Amino acid sequence: VKQYHPNRFSLSKLKQVEVTLQIQDILHNQGIHCPKPLSLKGKYLCRTISGVHFVCMEHSKGTLVSPGALNNSQLYHLGKTTGYMHKLLRKIPPSKLYWKPTYQNMEEKWDNQWINAQLNHRSDRVYHALQKQQEILSKIDFNCFDSCTPGWTHWDLWMDNLLFDTNQVAAILDFDRMRYVFPELDVSRVLLSGAYSLEKGMNWQGISHFLTGYNEFLPFTSDNLAKAFQLTWCQESPWWITHDIEERDENPKRFFEEICWISENWNHLEEITRSQVEVLK
Protein backbone atom coordinates (compact mmCIF):
# COMPACT_ATOMS: atom_id res chain seq x y z
CA VAL A 1 0.00 0.00 0.00
CA LYS A 2 1.40 3.38 -1.01
CA GLN A 3 0.08 6.57 0.56
CA TYR A 4 0.21 9.96 -1.19
CA HIS A 5 0.95 12.74 1.27
CA PRO A 6 -1.41 15.72 0.81
CA ASN A 7 1.46 18.19 1.25
CA ARG A 8 3.34 16.66 -1.68
CA PHE A 9 0.47 15.69 -3.97
CA SER A 10 -2.02 18.33 -5.01
CA LEU A 11 -5.23 17.35 -6.80
CA SER A 12 -3.60 18.06 -10.16
CA LYS A 13 -0.66 15.81 -9.27
CA LEU A 14 -3.03 13.08 -8.11
CA LYS A 15 -4.80 13.22 -11.48
CA GLN A 16 -1.44 12.69 -13.13
CA VAL A 17 -0.67 9.79 -10.78
CA GLU A 18 -3.91 8.13 -11.90
CA VAL A 19 -2.64 8.35 -15.49
CA THR A 20 0.78 6.95 -14.64
CA LEU A 21 -0.74 4.07 -12.68
CA GLN A 22 -2.83 3.19 -15.72
CA ILE A 23 0.34 3.18 -17.86
CA GLN A 24 2.15 1.12 -15.23
CA ASP A 25 -0.63 -1.47 -15.39
CA ILE A 26 -0.33 -1.61 -19.18
CA LEU A 27 3.43 -2.13 -18.90
CA HIS A 28 2.96 -4.88 -16.32
CA ASN A 29 0.45 -6.68 -18.52
CA GLN A 30 2.87 -6.48 -21.48
CA GLY A 31 5.66 -8.19 -19.55
CA ILE A 32 7.60 -5.36 -17.88
CA HIS A 33 8.73 -6.36 -14.40
CA CYS A 34 6.93 -3.78 -12.29
CA PRO A 35 4.30 -4.03 -9.53
CA LYS A 36 0.76 -4.39 -10.83
CA PRO A 37 -1.46 -1.61 -9.44
CA LEU A 38 -4.88 -2.86 -8.36
CA SER A 39 -7.99 -0.98 -9.45
CA LEU A 40 -11.35 -0.51 -7.76
CA LYS A 41 -14.34 0.36 -9.93
CA GLY A 42 -11.98 1.32 -12.73
CA LYS A 43 -9.83 3.62 -10.58
CA TYR A 44 -6.37 2.95 -9.19
CA LEU A 45 -6.29 5.72 -6.59
CA CYS A 46 -8.42 5.07 -3.54
CA ARG A 47 -9.32 7.44 -0.71
CA THR A 48 -10.02 6.82 2.94
CA ILE A 49 -12.97 8.43 4.72
CA SER A 50 -10.57 11.00 6.16
CA GLY A 51 -9.34 11.92 2.65
CA VAL A 52 -6.02 10.08 2.45
CA HIS A 53 -5.21 8.89 -1.09
CA PHE A 54 -3.48 5.55 -1.58
CA VAL A 55 -2.93 2.75 -4.08
CA CYS A 56 -2.58 -1.01 -3.61
CA MET A 57 -0.04 -2.92 -5.70
CA GLU A 58 1.15 -6.48 -5.96
CA HIS A 59 4.32 -7.12 -3.97
CA SER A 60 7.61 -7.24 -5.91
CA LYS A 61 10.46 -9.45 -4.77
CA GLY A 62 14.09 -8.51 -5.27
CA THR A 63 17.02 -6.70 -3.69
CA LEU A 64 18.49 -3.23 -4.01
CA VAL A 65 21.97 -2.76 -5.47
CA SER A 66 24.15 0.10 -4.31
CA PRO A 67 24.80 3.02 -6.71
CA GLY A 68 27.67 2.36 -9.09
CA ALA A 69 27.78 -1.35 -8.24
CA LEU A 70 25.90 -2.99 -11.13
CA ASN A 71 27.88 -5.70 -12.92
CA ASN A 72 27.93 -6.09 -16.70
CA SER A 73 25.27 -8.80 -16.74
CA GLN A 74 22.92 -6.67 -14.64
CA LEU A 75 23.54 -3.67 -16.90
CA TYR A 76 22.80 -5.78 -19.99
CA HIS A 77 19.46 -6.94 -18.60
CA LEU A 78 18.65 -3.44 -17.38
CA GLY A 79 19.30 -2.11 -20.89
CA LYS A 80 17.09 -4.81 -22.35
CA THR A 81 14.30 -4.02 -19.87
CA THR A 82 14.56 -0.27 -20.44
CA GLY A 83 14.54 -0.66 -24.22
CA TYR A 84 11.47 -2.87 -24.11
CA MET A 85 9.71 -0.45 -21.75
CA HIS A 86 10.42 2.48 -24.06
CA LYS A 87 9.20 0.50 -27.06
CA LEU A 88 5.91 -0.24 -25.29
CA LEU A 89 5.58 3.39 -24.18
CA ARG A 90 5.70 4.49 -27.82
CA LYS A 91 2.27 2.89 -28.21
CA ILE A 92 0.76 5.15 -25.52
CA PRO A 93 -0.98 8.22 -27.04
CA PRO A 94 1.27 11.29 -26.80
CA SER A 95 0.64 14.16 -24.45
CA LYS A 96 1.80 17.77 -24.22
CA LEU A 97 5.56 18.04 -23.72
CA TYR A 98 5.97 18.45 -19.97
CA TRP A 99 9.53 19.81 -19.82
CA LYS A 100 12.35 21.05 -21.98
CA PRO A 101 15.54 22.85 -20.96
CA THR A 102 15.64 26.64 -21.23
CA TYR A 103 18.46 29.09 -20.54
CA GLN A 104 16.31 31.58 -18.63
CA ASN A 105 15.07 29.04 -16.10
CA MET A 106 18.53 27.63 -15.43
CA GLU A 107 20.19 31.06 -15.26
CA GLU A 108 17.72 32.38 -12.68
CA LYS A 109 18.34 29.38 -10.42
CA TRP A 110 22.10 29.70 -10.86
CA ASP A 111 22.02 33.37 -9.83
CA ASN A 112 20.21 32.47 -6.62
CA GLN A 113 22.68 29.70 -5.72
CA TRP A 114 25.71 31.86 -6.52
CA ILE A 115 24.49 34.69 -4.27
CA ASN A 116 23.78 32.27 -1.43
CA ALA A 117 27.17 30.60 -1.84
CA GLN A 118 28.83 33.99 -1.33
CA LEU A 119 26.61 34.97 1.58
CA ASN A 120 27.24 31.67 3.36
CA HIS A 121 30.97 31.39 2.51
CA ARG A 122 30.71 27.96 0.91
CA SER A 123 33.65 25.68 0.12
CA ASP A 124 35.94 25.84 -2.92
CA ARG A 125 34.30 22.61 -4.16
CA VAL A 126 30.89 24.31 -4.28
CA TYR A 127 32.30 27.44 -5.92
CA HIS A 128 34.05 25.35 -8.57
CA ALA A 129 30.86 23.42 -9.38
CA LEU A 130 28.86 26.64 -9.71
CA GLN A 131 31.54 28.29 -11.86
CA LYS A 132 31.67 25.24 -14.13
CA GLN A 133 27.89 25.27 -14.39
CA GLN A 134 27.91 28.94 -15.43
CA GLU A 135 30.69 28.28 -17.93
CA ILE A 136 28.57 25.62 -19.64
CA LEU A 137 25.42 27.74 -19.52
CA SER A 138 27.20 30.61 -21.23
CA LYS A 139 27.95 28.57 -24.34
CA ILE A 140 25.30 25.86 -24.56
CA ASP A 141 23.04 25.90 -27.64
CA PHE A 142 19.68 24.64 -26.44
CA ASN A 143 18.63 24.03 -30.04
CA CYS A 144 20.92 20.99 -29.97
CA PHE A 145 18.16 19.15 -28.10
CA ASP A 146 15.70 19.54 -30.98
CA SER A 147 16.91 16.16 -32.26
CA CYS A 148 15.64 14.46 -29.08
CA THR A 149 12.32 12.71 -29.65
CA PRO A 150 9.64 13.26 -26.98
CA GLY A 151 7.96 10.24 -25.44
CA TRP A 152 6.58 8.80 -22.23
CA THR A 153 9.47 8.52 -19.78
CA HIS A 154 9.78 6.94 -16.32
CA TRP A 155 11.83 10.02 -15.33
CA ASP A 156 12.98 8.65 -11.99
CA LEU A 157 15.01 5.64 -13.05
CA TRP A 158 17.79 5.25 -10.49
CA MET A 159 19.05 2.56 -8.16
CA ASP A 160 16.51 3.12 -5.37
CA ASN A 161 13.71 2.41 -7.86
CA LEU A 162 15.14 -0.88 -9.14
CA LEU A 163 15.08 -4.38 -7.64
CA PHE A 164 17.32 -7.18 -8.89
CA ASP A 165 17.24 -10.96 -8.69
CA THR A 166 20.90 -11.92 -9.19
CA ASN A 167 21.66 -10.64 -12.72
CA GLN A 168 18.06 -9.93 -13.72
CA VAL A 169 15.90 -6.87 -13.18
CA ALA A 170 13.21 -8.06 -10.78
CA ALA A 171 11.15 -4.85 -10.76
CA ILE A 172 11.04 -1.22 -11.81
CA LEU A 173 9.37 0.84 -9.08
CA ASP A 174 7.76 4.25 -8.55
CA PHE A 175 6.21 5.53 -11.77
CA ASP A 176 4.76 8.64 -10.06
CA ARG A 177 7.04 11.05 -11.92
CA MET A 178 6.36 9.54 -15.35
CA ARG A 179 5.75 12.31 -17.87
CA TYR A 180 5.80 12.94 -21.59
CA VAL A 181 9.37 14.26 -21.88
CA PHE A 182 12.45 12.59 -23.43
CA PRO A 183 13.19 8.85 -22.99
CA GLU A 184 16.92 9.63 -23.28
CA LEU A 185 16.63 10.93 -19.71
CA ASP A 186 15.91 7.41 -18.46
CA VAL A 187 19.05 6.04 -20.12
CA SER A 188 21.45 8.68 -18.82
CA ARG A 189 19.91 8.82 -15.34
CA VAL A 190 20.05 5.07 -14.76
CA LEU A 191 23.60 4.79 -16.13
CA LEU A 192 24.84 7.61 -13.92
CA SER A 193 23.25 5.84 -10.98
CA GLY A 194 24.21 2.26 -11.83
CA ALA A 195 27.45 2.46 -13.82
CA TYR A 196 29.31 5.40 -12.25
CA SER A 197 31.45 4.60 -9.22
CA LEU A 198 32.86 7.44 -7.13
CA GLU A 199 35.99 5.35 -6.60
CA LYS A 200 36.48 3.70 -10.02
CA GLY A 201 34.79 6.13 -12.41
CA MET A 202 32.47 5.17 -15.25
CA ASN A 203 32.09 1.49 -16.16
CA TRP A 204 32.22 1.93 -19.93
CA GLN A 205 32.26 -1.80 -20.62
CA GLY A 206 29.09 -2.10 -18.56
CA ILE A 207 27.52 0.76 -20.53
CA SER A 208 28.32 -1.13 -23.74
CA HIS A 209 26.45 -4.12 -22.31
CA PHE A 210 23.50 -1.86 -21.36
CA LEU A 211 23.25 -0.40 -24.87
CA THR A 212 23.56 -3.87 -26.39
CA GLY A 213 20.48 -4.93 -24.44
CA TYR A 214 18.65 -1.70 -25.24
CA ASN A 215 19.37 -2.05 -28.97
CA GLU A 216 17.54 -5.36 -29.04
CA PHE A 217 14.38 -3.25 -29.00
CA LEU A 218 15.27 0.31 -30.03
CA PRO A 219 18.35 1.96 -31.56
CA PHE A 220 20.57 3.98 -29.24
CA THR A 221 24.08 5.09 -30.23
CA SER A 222 27.05 6.58 -28.42
CA ASP A 223 26.10 9.99 -29.86
CA ASN A 224 22.62 9.56 -28.37
CA LEU A 225 24.27 8.83 -25.04
CA ALA A 226 26.35 12.02 -25.07
CA LYS A 227 23.21 14.05 -25.77
CA ALA A 228 21.34 12.15 -23.05
CA PHE A 229 23.99 13.02 -20.45
CA GLN A 230 23.75 16.68 -21.44
CA LEU A 231 19.96 16.60 -21.23
CA THR A 232 20.09 15.15 -17.71
CA TRP A 233 22.62 17.81 -16.76
CA CYS A 234 20.19 20.52 -17.87
CA GLN A 235 17.40 18.95 -15.85
CA GLU A 236 19.28 18.11 -12.67
CA SER A 237 22.19 20.54 -12.26
CA PRO A 238 19.89 23.22 -10.72
CA TRP A 239 18.69 20.59 -8.22
CA TRP A 240 22.06 19.31 -7.05
CA ILE A 241 24.59 22.10 -7.68
CA THR A 242 23.35 24.14 -4.76
CA HIS A 243 25.15 26.29 -2.23
CA ASP A 244 24.13 23.96 0.62
CA ILE A 245 24.82 20.61 -1.08
CA GLU A 246 27.47 19.66 1.49
CA GLU A 247 24.85 19.91 4.23
CA ARG A 248 22.29 17.75 2.46
CA ASP A 249 21.60 14.01 2.72
CA GLU A 250 23.54 11.16 1.15
CA ASN A 251 21.45 10.82 -2.01
CA PRO A 252 21.66 14.50 -3.09
CA LYS A 253 25.41 14.39 -2.46
CA ARG A 254 25.68 11.35 -4.74
CA PHE A 255 23.60 13.08 -7.44
CA PHE A 256 25.89 16.11 -7.09
CA GLU A 257 28.92 13.95 -7.88
CA GLU A 258 27.19 12.44 -10.92
CA ILE A 259 26.24 15.83 -12.33
CA CYS A 260 29.74 17.17 -11.64
CA TRP A 261 31.13 14.26 -13.69
CA ILE A 262 29.09 15.50 -16.67
CA SER A 263 30.24 19.09 -16.02
CA GLU A 264 33.92 18.10 -16.01
CA ASN A 265 33.56 16.04 -19.21
CA TRP A 266 31.08 18.32 -21.02
CA ASN A 267 33.43 19.45 -23.79
CA HIS A 268 34.48 15.90 -24.65
CA LEU A 269 31.34 13.83 -24.07
CA GLU A 270 30.85 12.90 -27.74
CA GLU A 271 34.52 11.99 -28.11
CA ILE A 272 34.51 9.95 -24.90
CA THR A 273 31.33 8.01 -25.66
CA ARG A 274 32.41 7.27 -29.26
CA SER A 275 35.76 5.93 -28.13
CA GLN A 276 34.54 4.04 -25.05
CA VAL A 277 31.11 2.67 -25.97
CA GLU A 278 30.48 -0.19 -28.34
CA VAL A 279 27.21 -1.96 -29.03
CA LEU A 280 28.28 -5.58 -28.78
CA LYS A 281 27.31 -8.02 -31.50
Side-chain angles (χ1 to χ4, degrees):
V1 179
K2 181 174 183 176
Q3 174 187 341
Y4 294 91
H5 197 286
N7 291 344
R8 288 189 59 206
F9 290 88
S10 62
L11 289 178
S12 61
K13 285 187 177 180
L14 288 171
K15 288 180 181 179
Q16 185 62 43
V17 168
E18 181 71 32
V19 173
T20 63
L21 289 170
Q22 181 181 0
I23 295 175
Q24 180 179 338
D25 194 26
I26 292 171
L27 293 174
H28 174 88
N29 293 336
Q30 293 294 318
I32 294 295
H33 297 295
C34 62
K36 180 178 177 61
L38 307 180
S39 62
L40 178 65
K41 298 180 180 178
K43 297 289 184 180
Y44 296 93
L45 275 179
C46 302
R47 189 176 67 173
T48 66
I49 296 174
S50 61
V52 176
H53 288 85
F54 66 96
V55 62
C56 294
M57 302 185 194
E58 291 183 350
H59 178 259
S60 294
K61 295 182 180 180
T63 57
L64 291 169
V65 178
S66 299
L70 289 180
N71 63 42
N72 292 348
S73 296
Q74 290 169 329
L75 282 162
Y76 165 74
H77 194 260
L78 178 58
K80 190 172 181 178
T81 302
T82 306
Y84 182 44
M85 177 177 71
H86 285 169
K87 184 175 182 178
L88 292 175
L89 288 172
R90 287 187 173 189
K91 300 177 182 179
I92 305 296
S95 180
K96 180 181 178 181
L97 186 64
Y98 186 81
W99 171 86
K100 65 177 182 180
T102 63
Y103 174 82
Q104 182 178 2
N105 182 262
M106 296 185 69
E107 179 69 16
E108 289 175 355
K109 293 179 179 178
W110 182 89
D111 284 339
N112 180 58
Q113 295 302 328
W114 180 253
I115 291 170
N116 276 285
Q118 293 175 310
L119 291 174
N120 292 280
H121 306 289
R122 297 306 185 184
S123 70
D124 290 343
R125 171 74 164 144
V126 171
Y127 275 117
H128 175 77
L130 283 166
Q131 289 169 340
K132 191 69 177 178
Q133 184 185 26
Q134 178 58 29
E135 176 188 324
I136 294 171
L137 278 175
S138 67
K139 63 185 179 183
I140 187 173
D141 177 10
F142 285 91
N143 293 324
C144 72
F145 299 115
D146 290 345
S147 60
C148 297
T149 304
W152 286 101
T153 307
H154 184 283
W155 218 21
D156 201 16
L157 203 60
W158 65 296
M159 297 310 295
D160 270 20
N161 287 333
L162 292 168
L163 298 177
F164 284 84
D165 179 9
T166 314
N167 290 327
Q168 305 283 311
V169 175
I172 298 175
L173 309 174
D174 199 355
F175 286 74
D176 293 344
R177 289 193 67 239
M178 173 173 276
R179 296 293 187 273
Y180 192 78
V181 280
F182 303 102
E184 290 97 332
L185 290 163
D186 280 348
V187 174
S188 50
R189 170 35 52 219
V190 81
L191 288 177
L192 286 168
S193 187
Y196 177 62
S197 166
L198 301 183
E199 295 77 27
K200 300 178 181 178
M202 193 66 78
N203 177 7
W204 292 109
Q205 186 181 49
I207 288 179
S208 293
H209 281 78
F210 177 95
L211 292 186
T212 298
Y214 192 98
N215 274 264
E216 292 183 19
F217 295 96
L218 291 172
F220 205 96
T221 66
S222 60
D223 287 345
N224 294 143
L225 181 58
K227 188 66 62 65
F229 281 139
Q230 292 175 331
L231 199 58
T232 287
W233 185 91
C234 290
Q235 181 200 352
E236 296 190 17
S237 64
W239 298 350
W240 313 127
I241 303 180
T242 60
H243 76 95
D244 60 345
I245 186 61
E246 294 177 332
E247 299 171 357
R248 297 170 72 181
D249 294 335
E250 180 180 353
N251 285 337
K253 288 179 180 178
R254 161 77 194 195
F255 292 139
F256 171 78
E257 297 292 343
E258 293 166 0
I259 294 303
C260 283
W261 179 88
I262 300 177
S263 294
E264 296 301 323
N265 292 282
W266 183 276
N267 294 327
H268 309 288
L269 278 173
E270 290 186 6
E271 177 185 343
I272 293 171
T273 54
R274 285 175 183 169
S275 63
Q276 297 286 349
V277 177
E278 177 186 6
V279 178
L280 307 173
K281 304 299 182 183

